[in-house]
Amino acid sequence: MVAKETKQRGRPRSFDRETALEQAMRSFWECGYEATSISDLTRVMGISAPSLYAAFGDKRALFDEAVAAYGRRYGGFISRAIAEEPTARRGIERALREAAVEYTVPGRPRGCLVISAALNTTPASAEVAASLREMRQRNVREMERAIRADIAAGELPAGTDAHGLAEYVSVIVAGMSQSARDGVDRTTLEAVAELAMHALPRQPS
């Protein structure tokens, strides 16, 4: 007996999921989590609300997936710089220079989604704000570990405030993100990155 073919259940998806996710990510990136409504998302994604819920779950689940996609495609350069460069100084310098580039790429929302997407949130979105805050703090911890390793290796003076220096770099990066959103150009942000490097202590020769 010839087995009957099993019919696929449900209606086949009529949209490209990755393209829709990219559009959702850009909407959250540009407008923030709370200001982006389901109707905004369905409009930019080109799908209906039932299709959105079926493919991605609720708005929070879609946002979490969009943030993960942002990290893979556009973010993550700070962690890579710290991990790949031989010293904290070189990692921080690379991260700051790359921030000036990444935050001002033509055709993309400006600044950093992880920095700006949960600004001015209400208590209803406290978990979203906390999740993004943890991502930012993870970068600070990675920088602090690299700085402490440099202190131990004699690359930085023994009295260097590792935590304070890591927080300083994080503040500069956040400011560069906001300045980019305000329209500051790449050249100016590169100058900011250069100036910020002067604050890093050097081991006396």
Side-chain angles (χ1 to χ4, degrees), residues 25-26 28-29 63 66-67 70 111-118 132 177:
M25 178 216 306
R26 287 172 177 252
F28 286 127
W29 191 352
F63 178 74
V67 170
Y70 171 83
C112 173
L113 182 153
V114 175
I115 291 172
S116 62
L132 296 182
S177 173

Side-chain angles (χ1 to χ4, degrees), residues 141-170:
R141 291 194 296 270
E142 289 172 358
M143 280 189 281
E144 184 175 349
R145 282 194 294 269
I147 293 166
R148 291 190 184 282
D150 273 13
I151 295 169
E155 293 286 342
L156 289 171
T160 299
D161 180 355
H163 179 70
L165 186 54
E167 288 286 358
Y168 167 79
V169 175
S170 178

Side-chain angles (χ1 to χ4, degrees), residues 75-191:
F77 61 89
I78 295 176
S79 291
R80 285 193 299 273
I82 298 300
E84 294 172 3
E85 294 298 326
T87 65
R89 171 178 288 278
R90 287 179 57 176
I92 290 168
E93 182 175 17
R94 173 178 155 185
L96 290 172
R97 292 185 185 280
E98 290 186 3
V101 175
E102 292 295 328
Y103 294 166
T104 57
V105 173
R108 288 196 335 219
R110 289 186 151 232
C112 173
L113 182 153
V114 175
I115 291 172
S116 62
L119 293 176
N120 302 319
T121 52
T122 63
S125 300
E127 289 185 0
V128 171
S131 175
L132 296 182
R133 182 167 58 250
E134 170 56 27
M135 291 180 187
R136 297 191 297 270
Q137 290 175 343
R138 192 179 309 143
N139 282 337
V140 174
R141 291 194 296 270
E142 289 172 358
M143 280 189 281
E144 184 175 349
R145 282 194 294 269
I147 293 166
R148 291 190 184 282
D150 273 13
I151 295 169
E155 293 286 342
L156 289 171
T160 299
D161 180 355
H163 179 70
L165 186 54
E167 288 286 358
Y168 167 79
V169 175
S170 178
V171 168
I172 295 297
V173 169
M176 291 172 72
S177 173
Q178 184 57 54
S179 292
R181 290 179 68 85
D182 288 342
V184 175
D185 61 29
R186 170 181 169 177
T187 300
T188 303
L189 292 181
E190 287 176 334

